[in-house]
């Protein structure tokens, strides 16, 4: 006796569902580097939190304080590694540390070690 068309259709729908959800899980389980767009969006969220007062008055006391807080908000581990011992100062443009920070975020997003990042762009 041949299966009913409804049973065949239900089986095919289940097969397609489980196949596509397995592919999605596999694709999501592979680490990928954080994108510039994700960094920008998250940093904008950090700025909004700072402006709303969630980070306290000190983070709103100056533009550079706000930037240091935004960097800490964006990635506490990378901030600690790159900036905590020597935060940005008024008027400072530190391209090397900026690159180290971004590299740190990429490595962190990939689940990789952060060893050797500090000083890698000096």
């Amino acid at each position: 006796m041949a299966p009913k068309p409804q049973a065949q259709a239900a089986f095919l729908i289940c097969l397609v569902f489980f196949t596509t959800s397995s592919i999605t899980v596999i694709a999501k389980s592979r680490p990928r580097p954080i994108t510039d767009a994700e960094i920008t969006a998250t940093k904008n969220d950090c700025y909004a939190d700072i402006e709303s007062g969630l980070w306290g008055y000190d983070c709103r006391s100056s533009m550079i304080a706000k930037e240091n807080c935004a960097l800490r908000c964006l990635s506490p581990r990378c901030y600690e590694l790159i900036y905590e011992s020597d935060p940005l100062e008024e008027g400072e443009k530190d391209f090397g540390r900026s690159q180290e920070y971004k590299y740190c975020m990429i490595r962190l997003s990939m689940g990789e070690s952060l060893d050797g990042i500090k000083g890698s762009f000096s």
Side-chain angles (χ1 to χ4, degrees), residues 42-56:
T42 305
K43 195 169 187 183
N44 286 336
D45 291 342
C46 289
Y47 285 135
D49 287 348
I50 291 165
E51 286 299 318
S52 73
L54 288 175
W55 283 76

Side-chain angles (χ1 to χ4, degrees), residues 10 15-16 25 28 39-40 48 52 57 66 69 83 91-92 96 104 110-111 113:
L15 182 64
V16 168
V25 168
K28 286 183 179 179
I39 291 171
T40 300
S52 73
Y57 172 77
K66 182 177 178 180
C69 289
Y83 291 107
E92 180 181 15
C104 178
M110 299 285 290
S113 168

Side-chain angles (χ1 to χ4, degrees), residues 45-95:
D45 291 342
C46 289
Y47 285 135
D49 287 348
I50 291 165
E51 286 299 318
S52 73
L54 288 175
W55 283 76
Y57 172 77
D58 288 345
C59 287
R60 294 186 298 167
S61 63
S62 70
M63 288 303 292
I64 203 66
K66 182 177 178 180
E67 186 62 22
N68 279 312
C69 289
L71 291 170
R72 192 170 358 130
C73 168
L74 187 58
S75 176
R77 287 184 64 198
C78 293
Y79 182 84
E80 179 183 339
L81 183 67
I82 307 299
Y83 291 107
E84 189 168 66
S85 64
D86 184 21
L88 288 171
E89 297 173 358
E90 293 294 334
E92 180 181 15
K93 297 286 183 191
D94 194 333
F95 184 71

Side-chain angles (χ1 to χ4, degrees), residues 25-34 106-112:
V25 168
I26 290 169
K28 286 183 179 179
S29 66
R30 276 188 250 149
R32 62 167 186 76
I34 191 169
I106 291 169
R107 297 270 301 261
L108 198 58
S109 71
M110 299 285 290
E112 296 176 0

Side-chain angles (χ1 to χ4, degrees), residues 1-12:
M1 178 174 205
K4 294 182 180 180
Q6 290 111 349
Q8 287 177 332
F11 174 75
L12 287 175

Side-chain angles (χ1 to χ4, degrees), residues 13-33:
I13 290 170
C14 287
L15 182 64
V16 168
F17 173 76
F18 287 117
T19 303
T20 56
S21 51
S22 295
I23 291 169
T24 302
V25 168
I26 290 169
K28 286 183 179 179
S29 66
R30 276 188 250 149
R32 62 167 186 76

